[in-house]
Amino acid sequence: IKGPKSFITTIDSIFTKEVTFSDIKRPMNQFIDLETGENSMLQYSRKSTVVNAEIQKIMQKEILSVPVRAHNIPYNMRPIVLPARINLVVQGGVNIISPLEADSFYVYLNYLEPTRDSEHSFVPQFQQPKEVKISHYKPERFKIVLEKD
């Protein structure tokens, strides 16, 4: 974009013309015209942009026996997580989900954030690949037993 600094510094995005896509079954690359507006003070080096869309079927996959770790354990203590593993059901595009295994996920319990129930259990927290949704998991709660190191 070229133009007076007072105009350019206020621009944080440029809209495209509205386009509707339907019945898309394959990946696509589509040029879409930019909404350059009526301001004659600005010049655009491009009149369009490219939209890339990866189209995949959605699938579910069960990931079994993912290790569960404990974080924020007191000094000189060794945690024992009960149970030590979790089973996940994940969703996403077939190309993303198909190759995933247990080591694609990082599951942990934060010792500083127990649940407020009477059993002082812990709810797992997850780090998973982008574009992967965890739809459910079992068990839903865990215990942390501490032993002196």
Side-chain angles (χ1 to χ4, degrees):
I1 301 174
K2 292 181 184 178
K5 184 177 180 180
S6 60
F7 282 95
I8 292 178
T9 57
T10 64
I11 298 172
D12 63 358
S13 60
I14 300 172
F15 292 100
T16 63
K17 298 208 176 185
E18 188 172 320
V19 178
T20 302
F21 301 102
S22 60
D23 201 31
I24 306 292
K25 294 189 178 11
R26 295 194 176 127
M28 62 169 238
N29 294 327
Q30 181 76 36
F31 281 95
I32 300 177
D33 291 335
L34 298 176
E35 284 284 352
T36 55
E38 301 298 323
N39 192 334
S40 62
M41 301 288 287
L42 298 175
Q43 295 177 342
Y44 295 83
S45 61
R46 294 184 180 178
K47 302 291 182 194
S48 64
T49 189
V50 177
V51 173
N52 297 311
E54 173 88 20
I55 308 298
Q56 297 181 35
K57 288 186 177 185
I58 300 296
M59 72 173 282
Q60 275 192 339
K61 181 177 182 179
E62 191 171 19
I63 308 290
L64 302 175
S65 198
V66 179
V68 179
R69 296 164 179 89
H71 286 198
N72 297 316
I73 301 302
Y75 180 72
N76 285 340
M77 301 299 276
R78 185 172 57 88
I80 299 171
V81 175
L82 300 173
R85 297 188 174 271
I86 189 170
N87 295 329
L88 310 174
V89 176
V90 298
Q91 292 179 335
V94 68
N95 295 343
I96 295 166
I97 296 293
S98 294
L100 296 180
E101 300 294 334
D103 63 357
S104 304
F105 298 85
Y106 187 83
V107 181
Y108 65 96
L109 311 174
N110 185 347
Y111 185 74
L112 300 177
E113 295 179 7
T115 60
R116 303 251 184 250
D117 63 16
S118 62
E119 297 184 28
H120 299 289
S121 59
F122 295 85
V123 176
Q125 297 182 38
F126 304 95
Q127 292 177 358
Q128 71 260 23
K130 282 184 178 180
E131 301 174 17
V132 172
K133 177 185 174 203
I134 297 173
S135 59
H136 58 280
Y137 54 89
K138 285 197 177 184
E140 294 180 357
R141 296 189 184 218
F142 293 80
K143 295 273 188 192
I144 299 175
V145 176
L146 298 179
E147 290 183 343
K148 288 236 183 222
D149 214 8

